[in-house]
Amino acid sequence: MDLRELRRARFAVSVAFALHGAVTGGFASRIPWIQDHVGVGPGGLGLALLSPAVGSILAMSTAGRLTHRFGVRAVTRLAIGLWCLLLALPPLAPDLPLLCAALLLFGAVAGVADVAMNAQGVEVEQRLGRSIMSGLHGMWSVGTLVGGGVGTLAASAGLDARLHLSGMAVVLFLVGLAAGPLLLDLRAGEDEPAPPPFMLPPRGVLVIGLVGFCAVFAEGAAQDWCAVYLRQVAGASQAVGAAAYTAFACMMAAGRLCGDAVVRRLGPVATLRGSGALAALGGLLVVVSRTPVPAVAGFMLIGVGIAVVVPLVFAAAGNAGSSPSEGVAGAATVSYASGFVAPSAIGGIAQLTGLPASFALVTVLLLAVLLGAGRLAPPAQEAVQAA
């Protein structure tokens, strides 16, 4: 395989990551519109936002078998294309049950796309012989920023979310259709056994995965609820609420794009402690804010603080497990389980005591990231510390 083909594949998988992020950002920026359209409170919205996590976790268990049978390129192209088109579905739901059903399907396709595009990225990285995965995840963050930015403009113009998200779905689908053929055609060998449908995390990875759980919980809370928080607690307009998500996504992208340089300079433990402290400070600022400016600043601090946590968690888990793939799979299982807990926990607490109390819980979990940073020390560093 020549270098030009690998470069085209790298470009194509970068596009896939960016499209996945753009769909996420576009949807998140219009959650307040969808909430108003369906006519539900924080509790009902929390139930609806639990549905994508359920769909994603259930579908991820089948993604490995799908790629084994049909090939990584075919599954990536189909899942990314369908994920883009499904962006038009949630704002069409007229009531809460149909919104939950739409988001269940939405999350299921997102989960399959996530697994397939990461498998494609790993293969391209291995064949290039140099790291590209951090940059790919940075492209996902850039995609969320673009999707959120478009949502901010649409909300500012008072554009109906059904028109905005339908138009965006078509544009993103066409981009994915053009880039898809450039992906590598990866297929399992005839004698290669199908992967197991589910892998339990190794015992040694559990604590590392819990650090990831806290970070992913905070990310999901900020992503799904920051626009709602700005409107209901800080008294902001729909446009400012959408802009809060865009600011959060912007800081996430910047943190990921700069994160490798910081880790090389400070090491993973010090980086994680600093990140946890910064994110917890942002959470505290959100909790005490009652006007838009400090609340937006708090969400920005959360974004830059948690940006590098999951990559560091996966790297540490790869060293802690009996094999890198087993360690990363275990950490991902624990970390992404927060998708089951975060939406309903935030919505339920908000229903009882208000959104500030919900983000007080987020702040406590971010402090746990700081306290758990030592668990991510490389094996050699752990030995030195023990001695």
Side-chain angles (χ1 to χ4, degrees):
M1 180 175 293
D2 61 30
L3 186 58
R4 285 189 303 172
E5 186 176 356
L6 284 174
R7 285 174 174 171
R8 288 195 296 267
R10 179 180 179 178
F11 168 77
V13 74
S14 297
V15 171
F17 271 81
L19 291 174
H20 198 285
V23 173
T24 303
F27 168 69
S29 69
R30 302 313 301 267
I31 286 175
W33 187 97
I34 294 171
Q35 180 184 15
D36 291 344
H37 176 67
V38 176
V40 295
L45 182 61
L47 178 63
L49 294 177
L50 177 63
S51 300
V54 174
S56 182
I57 293 295
L58 293 177
M60 278 182 177
S61 66
T62 68
R65 290 178 175 267
L66 288 173
T67 56
H68 181 272
R69 180 174 180 180
F70 299 107
V72 177
R73 180 167 70 181
V75 176
T76 303
R77 294 180 66 184
L78 178 62
I80 288 291
L82 186 56
W83 167 238
C84 291
L85 291 177
L86 285 175
L87 179 60
L89 189 59
L92 299 177
D95 53 36
L96 181 59
L98 287 178
L99 178 61
C100 290
L103 292 179
L104 185 71
L105 176 61
F106 192 64
V109 176
V112 173
D114 194 311
V115 171
M117 70 186 189
N118 273 284
Q120 178 81 203
V122 168
E123 186 67 28
V124 174
E125 179 179 83
Q126 290 176 350
R127 297 191 184 192
L128 282 171
R130 62 179 184 272
S131 175
I132 65 168
M133 289 300 290
S134 178
L136 292 179
H137 283 270
M139 287 300 297
W140 186 91
S141 294
V142 170
T144 64
L145 176 61
V146 173
V150 172
T152 299
L153 294 175
S156 299
L159 186 63
D160 189 303
R162 290 168 292 193
L163 295 176
H164 157 223
L165 295 182
S166 295
M168 189 174 174
V170 172
V171 171
L172 295 178
F173 172 78
L174 293 176
V175 173
L177 194 65
L182 301 178
L183 294 167
L184 297 180
D185 189 12
L186 308 171
R187 296 180 180 273
E190 293 183 0
D191 58 346
E192 185 177 338
F198 184 77
M199 181 180 291
L200 293 173
R203 184 178 301 175
V205 174
L206 179 60
V207 176
I208 295 174
L210 288 174
V211 174
F213 177 97
C214 295
V216 174
F217 187 106
E219 180 181 352
Q223 176 179 291
D224 291 340
W225 290 93
C226 64
V228 178
Y229 194 100
L230 263 290
R231 288 191 61 203
Q232 296 185 359
V233 178
S237 65
Q238 269 204 27
V240 173
Y245 171 77
T246 304
F248 167 79
C250 181
M251 297 308 290
M252 281 279 291
R256 284 175 173 167
L257 293 174
C258 299
D260 287 337
V262 176
V263 173
R264 285 194 295 268
R265 184 175 181 84
L266 301 179
V269 174
T271 300
L272 195 63
R273 284 174 177 157
S275 296
L278 199 61
L281 177 62
L284 180 61
L285 187 57
V286 168
V287 171
V288 301
S289 296
R290 295 298 181 270
T291 56
V293 172
V296 173
F299 282 114
M300 292 173 70
L301 287 175
I302 292 174
V304 72
I306 64 175
V308 299
V309 177
V310 170
L312 287 176
V313 163
F314 286 0
N319 292 323
S322 58
S323 69
S325 60
E326 182 180 350
V328 172
T333 299
V334 177
S335 298
Y336 292 148
S338 67
F340 283 106
V341 180
S344 56
I346 296 295
I349 295 172
Q351 188 77 34
L352 293 174
T353 60
L355 278 170
S358 297
F359 277 87
L361 171 62
V362 171
T363 304
V364 170
L365 293 177
L366 291 170
L367 287 172
V369 171
L370 188 159
L371 296 174
R375 297 290 185 170
L376 274 69
Q381 184 176 339
E382 288 180 339
V384 171
Q385 291 175 348

